[in-house]
Amino acid sequence: MTSFLILIVILAIGYLSAEFIFKKLQSRFYAPSGIEYILLGILVGPSFANWISGLGWISFQPLISKDILRQINPGISAAIGVTGFVYGLNFRFADLRGSRPEYWRLTFFILLAAALILGGISYLIFSYSGLFDVSPGVALASSYALAIAGAVTSNFLIRSVISGNHAEGPVTDTLNKTSLLLISISILTFGLLFSIVHLGEKRGLNLSPTEWIVLSVLLSVFIGFMFFVFVARETDSNKLFVAVLGIVLFSAGAAYYLNFSPLFANFILGMVLTNLSRFSDKLRKSFETLLHPLGILIVIAAGFYWVPAPILTFIPAVLLYIGLRYLAIYWGGKIAYFTAYDKIHLAPAIGKGLLSSDIIVCAIVLDYIYVYNNTLTPVVISAILSSMIYFGITGFSETKKLLIDSGEIKGDLL
């Protein structure tokens, strides 16, 4: 009962902040995206309290114990699932066919640069530096997570810059559309990790990575098919919302049980429904109202689990990751510009407009923790979340500067 009440309180905080606080804090230099609530998760969670107590500085009891955290894990997984479902609802094949080649070019080179620079260097450090005694599978999973989290940018912050400054032009459109593509494809590629390096085999399911990939995709497609069998004829909006919410929660639970990513599973489910259901617009409007409150819950939950790495590891890991992420996105954007045929839709430094980080990164972190909790977890989580906070704060101004330099934010709006 206590865990349920705590979950309700957290959701209430998320809802109230979205409705009353965020709208008041919007400024010309910064747009609150929800990362502020990671501090709340750190202060009330058990991991940080145990870390402080271990240092011998001060000893205090956290508000949320490990037992309570274990009890609310299914609720957090459900929140991650709903978030993935909403992003999946925005992944429409009709929109993809109308996307410019420059959007795909920029997306591809940023993902490639993140894989090579963030993932490649991380894997070399984990495997060959002699600082970490881990198996190849653990090194692969950790470096994979670092690369995917580093490629994600914030469509919310980019849209905040655009709407707050009335930005308009080809570079503005590229930033908006590419950020959505980066989030969607990052979720898809991140979900494959749970099949490539699958842990926690279930009895009778000794499958190869390829078979796990097929199973993870077919599971979500099958659940989407069940929607059309049992719910597709429903016309009442409230009943339709409740029915789809039940399907989403079931999909998240199935993914959680099989050690798949609820984020990935429900993204596939949302993608199936938005491209095949005539109710997709109605579903999108209904579920998007949940996105910000649940996003706050996910951010707070990431703070619950954040166990900082030892200080001599924490500082180099965070600084190196922030620097490598900057290089990956900046050079990915620069290469996309130099190889583009129609350069009007890009800019030489367009990567700087995509540096902002999104709370979807916290969902990736939680998925990683639930399945791949290992000796590298404090390093991986510290690097990702510190980077998310840093670029969440600085990314707004970097995007705005890029659009000013591109001439798509006029002088009288600065």
Side-chain angles (χ1 to χ4, degrees):
M1 188 64 181
T2 302
S3 61
F4 178 75
L5 290 175
I6 290 174
L7 186 62
I8 294 299
V9 169
I10 293 172
L11 286 172
I13 291 173
Y15 177 78
L16 292 174
S17 66
E19 289 297 315
F20 302 110
I21 300 176
F22 274 25
K23 294 178 182 178
K24 302 293 184 183
L25 292 179
Q26 182 85 28
S27 74
R28 296 168 58 191
F29 308 103
Y30 174 67
S33 62
I35 62 171
E36 301 82 2
Y37 288 91
I38 200 168
L39 179 61
L40 176 61
I42 292 172
L43 293 178
V44 303
S47 298
F48 186 77
N50 293 337
W51 183 72
I52 291 293
S53 299
L55 293 176
W57 295 349
I58 188 173
S59 179
F60 64 93
Q61 292 296 321
L63 178 63
I64 297 182
S65 66
K66 288 186 177 180
D67 289 337
I68 293 177
L69 200 56
R70 233 182 331 263
Q71 294 175 44
I72 66 175
N73 276 348
I76 296 171
S77 293
I80 294 172
V82 173
T83 301
F85 180 71
V86 173
Y87 279 99
L89 286 175
N90 287 289
F91 195 80
R92 290 179 290 190
F93 295 139
D95 294 338
L96 297 181
R97 288 194 295 269
S99 296
R100 295 183 179 276
E102 289 76 16
Y103 305 161
W104 288 100
R105 183 186 303 275
L106 182 57
T107 300
F108 171 77
F109 279 112
I110 287 178
L111 287 168
L112 180 62
L116 294 177
I117 296 175
L118 283 170
I121 293 177
S122 297
Y123 184 80
L124 291 175
I125 293 173
F126 293 150
S127 298
Y128 301 108
S129 67
L131 299 173
F132 306 96
D133 184 17
V134 295
S135 66
V138 169
L140 175 62
S142 301
S143 56
Y144 194 120
L146 287 168
I148 295 300
V152 175
T153 189
S154 175
N155 180 256
F156 171 81
L157 284 180
I158 289 172
R159 285 189 291 107
S160 296
V161 175
I162 294 171
S163 62
N165 297 276
H166 306 287
E168 187 177 6
V171 175
T172 300
D173 292 339
T174 298
L175 291 179
N176 186 30
K177 299 296 177 56
T178 302
S179 61
L180 287 173
L181 283 175
L182 281 170
I183 292 172
S184 298
I185 296 177
S186 293
I187 292 173
L188 288 172
T189 51
F190 179 68
L192 298 181
L193 169 63
F194 296 82
S195 299
I196 296 171
V197 185
H198 192 271
L199 300 180
E201 303 289 349
K202 302 301 177 184
R203 183 176 298 178
L205 287 177
N206 187 17
L207 306 178
S208 68
T210 302
E211 290 169 330
W212 279 117
I213 291 173
V214 173
L215 177 62
S216 65
V217 174
L218 287 182
L219 176 65
S220 299
V221 172
F222 174 75
I223 294 173
F225 173 75
M226 299 304 292
F227 165 84
F228 292 101
V229 172
F230 295 107
V231 187
R233 295 184 181 180
E234 182 59 62
T235 56
D236 184 89
S237 298
N238 293 327
K239 291 181 179 179
L240 182 66
F241 174 80
V242 172
V244 174
L245 181 61
I247 292 172
V248 170
L249 296 181
F250 175 78
S251 176
Y256 181 78
Y257 174 75
L258 292 171
N259 282 338
F260 290 143
S261 165
L263 184 71
F264 169 78
N266 278 288
F267 182 89
I268 298 291
L269 176 61
M271 187 173 64
V272 170
L273 296 191
T274 198
N275 286 285
L276 298 179
S277 172
R278 67 181 187 276
F279 298 116
S280 60
D281 290 335
K282 187 183 297 185
L283 290 174
R284 189 179 303 106
K285 291 177 182 177
S286 298
F287 276 88
E288 281 182 347
T289 60
L290 298 175
L291 188 58
H292 211 103
L294 291 181
I296 299 300
L297 171 62
I298 292 170
V299 173
I300 294 174
F304 291 163
Y305 283 100
W306 188 354
V307 183
I311 194 70
L312 294 180
T313 304
F314 177 88
I315 294 176
V318 169
L319 294 178
L320 181 62
Y321 186 75
I322 289 174
L324 291 178
R325 183 178 186 267
Y326 179 90
L327 288 176
I329 295 181
Y330 176 79
W331 281 103
K334 188 171 281 291
I335 294 171
Y337 174 79
F338 284 120
T339 59
Y341 296 107
D342 192 358
K343 289 182 170 54
I344 192 174
H345 296 282
L346 298 171
I350 195 166
K352 289 186 176 181
L354 296 167
L355 287 172
S356 56
S357 194
D358 198 78
I359 59 176
I360 197 72
V361 171
C362 289
I364 290 175
V365 163
L366 291 171
D367 270 351
Y368 174 86
I369 291 172
Y370 288 157
V371 177
Y372 299 105
N373 199 4
N374 52 60
T375 55
L376 289 179
T377 298
V379 178
V380 172
I381 303 312
S382 295
I384 292 175
L385 294 183
S386 297
S387 170
M388 187 195 76
I389 293 171
Y390 175 79
F391 287 111
I393 295 171
T394 63
F396 183 92
S397 59
E398 290 291 342
T399 300
K400 185 175 179 179
K401 288 177 185 177
L402 175 73
L403 293 178
I404 291 173
D405 293 341
S406 300
E408 298 185 8
I409 294 178
K410 305 303 180 184
D412 57 343
L413 297 173
L414 300 182

